[in-house]
Amino acid sequence: MKIFVGLGNPGPKYAGNRHNIGFMALDRIADDHGFAPWRGKFQGAFSEGLLGNQKVLLLKPETFMNLSGQSVGEAMRFYKLTSDDVIVFHDELDLAPGKVRVKQGGGHAGHNGLRSIHAHIGPDYTRVRMGIGHPGNKNAVSSYVLRDFAKADEGWLDDVLRGCADGAVDLVEGDSGKFMNAIGRRINPPRSSTSQPKTEAVKANPAPASPSEQKADAEPKETRSPLQRLMDKFS
């Protein structure tokens, strides 16, 4: 059993924020894979279903970002799981928009949601780092992550979310490479060939004529009838 955790802040005020991309990813996975309706549990919104042959729990902590670890820790202890069974989807300032990376363990890099999870379950969980870009100014980070995605972001954002759902089974099975490939196919779909196969038969080049044939072709053709030729002979 695995727990997929999406990080974000609860309520419609924050629903479209960059900081809520983790919530968005879990919503897409739940919709595309037919998970049970969301319900309140473990201080968050909770759903369960199957990815492949494995049972997976989806959890969106509703403690607000800075206390996300409380919700994650409670769910993990209830199911007697370890941090190795936890996969967290979160926004990543240090990746360009549309870029996604999977990382096992490591630091929290100042992300308040990850900081809280570290405090409650330790650092040995898997992170799906979902790039949102950086505003370019450290002082602008807070307002940047708490603003909605721009209209221009809708295309790549939808591709990334759908790609996460496409590759969710691979992620559960521990194949992060296939998971990343699923996202890549959404962002950069393979080109379909638009050229039509040739249907006309290729004509063979005729063999060169023999010398006798060339001579015969060069001589004028006899157009008189046999009777005319006989009369000409005795005229």
Side-chain angles (χ1 to χ4, degrees), residues 30 89 137 147 163 197:
F89 293 74
N137 185 331
R147 283 202 301 268

Side-chain angles (χ1 to χ4, degrees), residues 115-128:
R115 190 196 306 273
S116 178
I117 294 174
H118 271 52
H120 285 268
I121 72 170
D124 299 324
Y125 56 91
T126 300
R127 308 96 189 274
V128 178

Side-chain angles (χ1 to χ4, degrees), residues 185-213:
R185 286 192 296 271
R186 285 288 185 176
I187 295 175
N188 297 302
R191 294 181 179 179
S192 59
S193 175
T194 57
S195 59
Q196 298 295 325
K198 294 181 179 180
T199 56
E200 293 183 2
V202 178
K203 295 182 179 180
N205 291 327
S210 65
S212 60
E213 290 173 331

Side-chain angles (χ1 to χ4, degrees), residues 14 23 25 64 74 86 90 94 113 122 135 152 164 175 181-182 201 222 228:
Y14 303 100
F23 276 16
F64 285 92
E74 184 178 334
V86 177
H90 67 90
D94 293 333
C164 285
D175 196 331
N181 288 340
E222 179 61 72
Q228 287 176 323

